[in-house]
Amino acid sequence: DLQLGVSYVRSSSMYGHLVSKHLRRGQTCETAGDHEPEGISVRSMSGVFVIAGSLTCVSIVLAAIGRGCAKSDAAGAKSDTADGAVPPGAVPPGAGIPENES
């Protein structure tokens, strides 16, 4: 079993020694005494704002183009069938509906 092998390796003293030595488990990070980490600010987030704003603008433009194309296609389809002709592949009105036989 893999689970049994993993638990055996973790219980060995050599594994614990390697983890504490190379990964420094159990030790605190040393920082300079006068160094204070910079907090999150609008200035530090400017790159995220630029990327998110650009993606939003692109999606709005693409949606407007797509809507414009859909409207022009619908207008073109209406003008093609204005003379009463049935477009190819469409079912003519009343076709397939049985008339009432009295």
Side-chain angles (χ1 to χ4, degrees):
D1 283 298
L2 182 63
Q3 187 71 18
L4 184 63
V6 169
S7 63
Y8 173 76
V9 169
R10 283 188 170 178
S11 65
S12 70
S13 62
M14 186 179 357
Y15 174 79
H17 177 69
L18 289 173
V19 167
S20 64
K21 180 180 178 186
H22 293 288
L23 300 180
R24 299 176 188 225
R25 187 178 77 179
Q27 298 177 6
T28 58
C29 295
E30 297 293 325
T31 58
D34 60 344
H35 177 71
E36 187 66 31
E38 184 180 334
I40 297 174
S41 66
V42 174
R43 183 174 170 226
S44 67
M45 296 291 290
S46 62
V48 174
F49 292 140
V50 168
I51 292 171
S54 300
L55 290 175
T56 302
C57 290
V58 167
S59 65
I60 290 171
V61 168
L62 290 177
I65 291 171
R67 186 173 178 135
C69 290
K71 281 187 176 181
S72 66
D73 288 346
K78 285 182 184 176
S79 65
D80 291 345
T81 59
D83 60 354
V86 177
V91 178
I97 301 173
E99 294 183 25
N100 288 338
E101 295 179 20
S102 303

